[in-house]
């Protein structure tokens, strides 16, 4: 689009009687002299309307906007731009804090007045600027006639140091901004430190301003200035930011949106908070189910169930509250923060890290239970497959999703496949649990080798799972360490493993004081074959304490009682 350049002088009063020059960059379309365009007020850095500022204005004007760039220091000097040298830099910085805030606001108001007075203006005005001009564009947005503003690395907003007395009210008046705002900073901007950017963002949130906030990695202050920028000019980032400016101005200034319907936008933050809380609580319950297998508390009892439900409820409510507070900023304590204390790290930990830790610990505990306690390997196939399916789902969610979304124009993303693979993982966990609760564990035997008629298979399975063999193994190890016996450490003959398991199983299946069987359990590997062969003398040699220790345990192990009684080893 072609551009016509001119200037217009307007009288000013707030800073003393004078004249302000407004440089005008007007788009034209050949053959359409009555074409109407939106207006944009462009505020310069401390050097007034320099070459880079004029080129910036031409870029915007070429997209169909009437651009008006006022000379900000008309109270102190002429309209000509200052030089990018030390002397003029000092002048610009001094004039910046010598000019009255009211004079700055008058300049902005006069510029908007001029744009709206043009017959070629469609009646909609925006504002933009960089450095000092970014702050002035922000203040221009306090004028409710301004529908949108884009502020590049705006200085002094966070520190309240603009103008005479260095005590501006820009942040305090943020609630007066009724248009849409874009704030752009470089992450490496040394003029507006991280805590200053956080303050601006937080205040805009609290004041209910409609805004976008961008902090560009690697960008420094003045990164859009294409001349004498001390190596800070970044054309690629400048192009991206310019596209954001065009999107905002195109949507708010060029389009006739009509009046707002007054309906409040409904956001699914509440549902998302419930979802996040449910993930945290569910992973916690899964971890507790792994701990149940080690019988620190008897499973299925009111105490154990209450502890599981109560702790899961606390996590659900706590995580849900933090998620809601983050979304709706009820207290502001959990607002998004990239610097400083990072207080919203709580939601990240509860939603991302905590569930992952629970799942990893669950896998480790179940592996110990299956391999060390139950002595099985087949269930590990299902457990590992469940972990693999879950991992694939996360890869779809965090890695592949963006590529799917772009390839399908937003019709499909990774969430579909993440949900599918997670569901498969849950089903596989069910298969895993089913595989470790099969009715194939050793049964208590009688003297004749049969199973007691009073004990059903389901009862046996439940009793076996309700006692921690790991605890028995630890008890046995303690006994051996306390009183070493060469017989208890000898290698058992082949084929005695099942008999040894039967001894342990029988001890745990009865409701008795298992401590009475410590010595017997410690010697099971040695005594299993002797019991099977009916060798009473050999059996006594395997147990620390001999016949007396075995007799103390006879009430816990039915077939041991029968063996001892049949050999008259326990008097009375």
């Amino acid at each position: 689009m072609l551009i016509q350049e001119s200037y217009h002088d307007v009288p000013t009063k707030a800073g003393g009687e004078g004249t302000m020059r407004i440089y005008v960059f007007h788009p034209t379309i050949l053959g359409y002299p009555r074409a109407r365009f939106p207006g944009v007020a462009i505020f310069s850095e401390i050097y007034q309307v320099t070459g880079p500022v004029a080129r910036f204005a031409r870029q915007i004007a070429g997209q169909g906007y009437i651009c008006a760039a006022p000379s900000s220091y008309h109270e102190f000097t002429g309209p000509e731009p200052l030089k990018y040298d030390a002397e003029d830099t000092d002048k610009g910085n001094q004039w910046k804090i010598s000019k009255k805030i009211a004079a700055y606001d008058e300049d902005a108001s006069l510029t908007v007045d001029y744009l709206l007075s043009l017959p070629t203006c469609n009646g909609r005005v925006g504002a933009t600027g960089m450095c000092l001009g970014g702050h002035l564009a922000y203040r221009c947005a306090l004028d409710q006639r301004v529908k949108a503003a884009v502020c590049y690395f705006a200085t002094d907003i966070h520190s309240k140091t603009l103008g005479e007395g260095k005590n501006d009210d820009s942040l305090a008046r943020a609630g007066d901004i009724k248009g849409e705002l874009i704030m752009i900073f470089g992450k490496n901007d040394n003029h507006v430190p991280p805590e200053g950017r956080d303050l601006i963002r937080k205040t805009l949130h609290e004041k209910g301003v409609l805004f976008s906030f961008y902090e560009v990695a690697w960008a420094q202050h003045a990164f859009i200035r294409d001349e004498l920028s001390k190596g800070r000019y970044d054309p690629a980032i400048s192009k991206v930011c310019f596209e954001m400016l065009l999107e905002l101005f195109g949507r708010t200034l060029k389009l006739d949106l009509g009046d707002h319907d007054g309906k409040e936008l409904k956001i699914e933050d509440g549902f998302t908070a419930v979802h996040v809380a449910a993930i945290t609580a569910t992973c916690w319950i899964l971890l507790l189910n792994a701990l149940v297998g080690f019988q620190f508390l008897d499973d299925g009892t009111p105490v154990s169930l209450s502890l599981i439900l109560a702790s899961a409820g606390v996590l659900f409510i706590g995580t849900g509250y933090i998620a809601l507070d983050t979304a709706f900023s009820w207290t502001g304590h959990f607002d998004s923060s990239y610097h400083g204390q990072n207080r919203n790290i709580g939601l990240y930990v509860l939603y991302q890290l905590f569930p992952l830790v629970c799942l990893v610990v669950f896998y480790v505990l179940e592996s110990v239970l299956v391999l060390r306690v139950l002595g099985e390997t087949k269930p590990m196939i299902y457990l590992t497959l469940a972990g693999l399916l879950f991992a694939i789902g996360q890869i779809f969610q965090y890695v592949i999703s963006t590529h799917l979304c772009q390839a399908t124009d937003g019709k499909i993303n990774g969430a579909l496949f993440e949900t599918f693979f997670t569901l498969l993982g849950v089903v596989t966990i069910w298969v895993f649990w089913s595989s470790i609760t099969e009715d194939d564990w050793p049964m208590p035997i009688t003297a004749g080798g049969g199973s007691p008629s009073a004990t059903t298979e389901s009862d046996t399975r439940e009793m076996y799972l309700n006692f921690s063999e790991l605890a028995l193994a630890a008890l046995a190890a303690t006994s051996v360490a306390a009183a070493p016996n060469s017989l208890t450490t000898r290698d058992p003959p082949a084929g005695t493993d099942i008999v040894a398991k039967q001894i342990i199983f029988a001890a745990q299946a009865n409701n008795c004081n298992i401590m009475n069987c410590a010595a017997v359990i410690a010697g099971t590997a040695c005594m299993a074959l002797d019991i099977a062969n009916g060798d009473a003398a050999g059996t006594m040699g395997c147990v620390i304490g001999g016949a007396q220790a075995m007799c103390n345990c006879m009430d816990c192990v039915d077939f041991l009682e029968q063996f001892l009684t049949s050999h008259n080893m326990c008097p009375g």
Side-chain angles (χ1 to χ4, degrees):
M1 196 173 294
L2 300 178
I3 303 170
Q4 291 182 348
E5 298 185 27
S6 61
Y7 63 84
H8 182 74
D9 293 333
V10 296
T12 61
K13 296 180 180 179
E17 296 289 339
T19 300
M20 177 180 69
R21 175 159 296 180
I22 301 175
Y23 290 92
V24 182
F25 305 83
H26 197 300
T28 62
I29 302 176
L30 293 177
Y32 294 90
R34 296 184 180 86
R36 303 177 72 208
F37 307 94
V40 175
I42 298 180
F43 297 91
S44 65
E45 50 194 347
I46 61 171
Y47 304 98
Q48 301 207 101
V49 184
T50 59
V53 176
R55 286 190 287 275
F56 181 61
R58 293 186 190 106
Q59 282 186 304
I60 299 174
Q63 301 296 323
Y65 300 90
I66 306 170
C67 294
S71 297
S72 297
Y73 291 151
H74 53 87
E75 294 92 347
F76 311 106
T77 186
E80 297 79 11
L82 303 182
K83 297 177 182 179
Y84 289 118
D85 60 21
E87 181 181 355
D88 280 3
T89 297
D90 290 340
K91 289 180 181 178
N93 282 323
Q94 182 59 44
W95 292 338
K96 179 180 69 171
I97 58 175
S98 299
K99 182 167 179 168
K100 296 178 180 179
I101 291 295
Y104 281 123
D105 292 343
E106 182 188 49
D107 292 351
S109 181
L110 290 173
T111 303
V112 174
D113 289 344
Y114 170 74
L115 287 169
L116 292 176
S117 70
L118 296 174
T120 52
C121 180
N122 69 358
R124 300 187 187 93
V125 175
T128 188
M130 67 289 295
C131 193
L132 164 65
H135 192 156
L136 298 181
Y138 173 96
R139 290 196 66 88
C140 187
L142 298 173
D143 186 332
Q144 297 190 15
R145 296 175 296 175
V146 176
K147 304 300 181 184
V150 179
C151 307
Y152 287 86
F153 36 89
T155 55
D156 305 316
I157 294 179
H158 68 288
S159 57
K160 299 172 53 178
T161 53
L162 178 65
E164 186 180 47
K166 300 174 68 174
N167 188 28
D168 67 76
D169 59 353
S170 298
L171 269 186
R173 293 185 57 195
D176 294 339
I177 298 176
K178 302 306 178 184
E180 187 171 343
L181 194 65
I182 291 181
M183 304 295 292
I184 302 174
F185 294 95
K187 292 282 283 187
N188 296 325
D189 191 329
N190 59 342
H191 290 258
V192 187
E195 56 272 17
R197 301 195 291 269
D198 287 344
L199 176 62
I200 295 171
R201 185 193 305 109
K202 183 175 184 294
T203 303
L204 293 176
H205 271 300
E206 292 174 347
K207 297 291 186 178
V209 179
L210 178 61
F211 76 100
S212 300
F213 200 100
Y214 298 96
E215 291 182 276
V216 186
W218 306 113
Q220 302 180 58
H221 191 73
F223 65 84
I224 67 170
R225 193 172 80 201
D226 62 0
E227 179 183 326
L228 298 174
S229 64
K230 302 177 183 178
R232 297 173 293 182
Y233 174 56
D234 191 322
I237 293 176
S238 298
K239 179 178 181 295
V240 171
C241 295
F242 190 70
E243 290 297 328
M244 292 190 292
L245 177 148
L246 293 181
E247 188 282 326
L248 176 62
F249 286 171
R251 175 166 45 82
T252 58
L253 304 182
K254 281 189 174 181
L255 298 179
D256 186 355
L257 300 178
D259 295 331
H260 195 280
D261 60 10
K263 295 181 180 179
E264 185 177 352
L265 178 63
K266 294 183 178 180
I267 304 175
E268 295 182 350
D269 285 331
F271 178 81
T272 301
V274 172
H275 178 230
V276 170
I279 289 175
T280 303
T282 302
C283 290
W284 172 248
I285 291 175
L286 188 65
L287 172 60
L288 293 184
N289 272 278
L291 291 172
V292 163
F294 293 93
Q295 290 296 296
F296 296 108
L297 284 176
D298 289 339
D299 61 317
T301 63
V303 174
S304 63
L305 290 176
S306 298
L307 288 175
I308 290 176
L309 294 176
S311 59
V314 169
L315 276 173
F316 181 86
I317 295 172
T319 304
Y321 169 77
I322 292 175
L324 289 170
D325 198 349
T326 301
F328 296 109
S329 191
W330 290 336
T331 66
H333 185 77
F334 296 102
D335 284 351
S336 178
S337 173
Y338 297 105
H339 305 285
Q341 298 179 8
N342 279 323
R343 292 170 298 185
N344 68 325
I345 195 69
L347 185 59
Y348 170 73
V349 170
L350 290 171
Y351 176 44
Q352 298 287 325
L353 296 185
F354 179 76
L356 181 61
V357 170
C358 287
L359 293 175
V360 171
V361 175
F362 170 82
Y363 182 89
V364 172
L365 290 176
E366 293 295 358
S367 298
V368 172
L369 183 68
V370 171
L371 297 175
R372 298 293 299 275
V373 178
L374 301 181
E376 298 291 322
T377 56
K378 181 180 178 181
M380 287 301 301
I381 298 175
Y382 304 123
L383 182 63
T384 302
L385 179 60
L388 180 62
L389 289 170
F390 174 78
I392 293 174
Q394 301 312 299
I395 292 173
F396 269 100
Q397 178 76 346
Y398 291 102
V399 179
I400 303 177
S401 182
T402 181
H403 303 290
L404 284 175
C405 193
Q406 293 173 1
T408 60
D409 293 328
K411 296 181 178 65
I412 300 176
N413 63 14
L416 171 66
F417 297 95
E418 187 269 342
T419 302
F420 175 71
F421 280 102
T422 300
L423 176 61
L424 290 180
V426 172
V427 172
T428 309
I429 286 292
W430 178 84
V431 174
F432 162 74
W433 273 104
S434 179
S435 70
I436 65 174
T437 56
E438 293 175 352
D439 300 331
D440 58 359
W441 308 117
M443 303 286 291
I445 60 173
T446 63
S451 300
S453 59
T455 305
T456 65
E457 287 186 352
S458 61
D459 292 336
T460 302
R461 178 178 61 189
E462 182 177 0
M463 287 187 294
Y464 193 84
L465 292 176
N466 283 350
F467 196 94
S468 172
E469 187 171 326
L470 184 64
L472 290 175
L475 188 61
T478 303
S479 300
V480 173
N485 185 319
S486 61
L487 292 176
T488 64
T489 59
R490 74 186 186 188
D491 293 333
T496 63
D497 181 62
I498 294 299
V499 179
K501 283 188 175 182
Q502 289 172 340
I503 294 173
I504 296 175
F505 179 82
Q508 70 187 52
N510 287 279
N511 185 19
C512 67
N513 185 358
I514 197 65
M515 293 300 297
N516 292 337
C517 295
V520 174
I521 294 171
T524 52
C526 168
M527 62 188 287
L529 186 61
D530 293 328
I531 290 179
N533 294 332
D535 184 355
T539 302
M540 285 189 293
C542 290
V543 178
I544 301 170
Q548 183 60 45
M550 296 175 67
C551 292
N552 290 338
C553 184
M554 61 186 295
D555 291 336
C556 291
V557 184
D558 293 338
F559 68 88
L560 180 61
E561 179 183 10
Q562 296 169 3
F563 177 81
L564 296 174
T565 301
S566 64
H567 289 81
N568 297 317
M569 296 174 65
C570 296

